[in-house]
Amino acid sequence: MPHDSLLRYSHEFRVAYHQTDGQRRVHHSNYLNFFEEARVEMLRAGGVRYKDLEDSGRLLVVTEMNVQYHAAAEFDDYLRLDVAVTEIRKVRLRHRYQVFRDQTLITSADSTIACVDAEGRPKKLPAKFLELATQLGQ
């Protein structure tokens, strides 16, 4: 798979009933799950299985998440989540997320993900990621 998939990815999905609240709107906490699913699928599309990263002794943990809610998504909506890596450092990745229903922006967010070992100590990202930093102008 092309390395570009490790920098940008679009994930499409339908909102399930259990992801909604009493008004059939997506509960705000479920967006964090959507973001994680998109990150894992972005890795897979780029030829990296998250399970293999863990097996190599690397964990990618969320250290910061900032979410802005612009509109409501509801049960059975078909959504597109665009995720892009905006920064790569030795042990850190930053992502930007945008969730759309058709052309309507539903949610946007930014995250910081750190690479750590099983004890939670910072661990250098795999070379495959660090090579991509030049594509981001870093």
Side-chain angles (χ1 to χ4, degrees), residues 65-76:
M65 183 68 71
N66 296 300
V67 184
Q68 298 83 42
Y69 302 95
H70 307 284
E74 299 183 356
F75 167 62
D76 211 38

Side-chain angles (χ1 to χ4, degrees), residues 53-54 56-60 88-93 113-118 120-131 133:
L53 274 178
E54 285 189 344
S56 76
R58 289 179 171 92
L59 303 170
L60 298 178
I88 300 173
R89 297 291 179 215
K90 289 181 185 176
V91 298
R92 183 181 71 214
L93 299 165
I113 311 295
C115 186
V116 299
D117 64 17
R121 292 183 304 253
K123 187 161 184 167
K124 195 173 183 180
L125 286 162
K128 188 173 191 174
F129 289 90
L130 298 175
E131 292 165 6

Side-chain angles (χ1 to χ4, degrees), residues 6 40 42-50 52-53 128-129:
L6 289 173
V40 169
M42 179 170 65
L43 288 172
R44 187 184 325 275
V48 178
R49 291 183 347 141
Y50 185 71
D52 293 340
L53 274 178
K128 188 173 191 174
F129 289 90

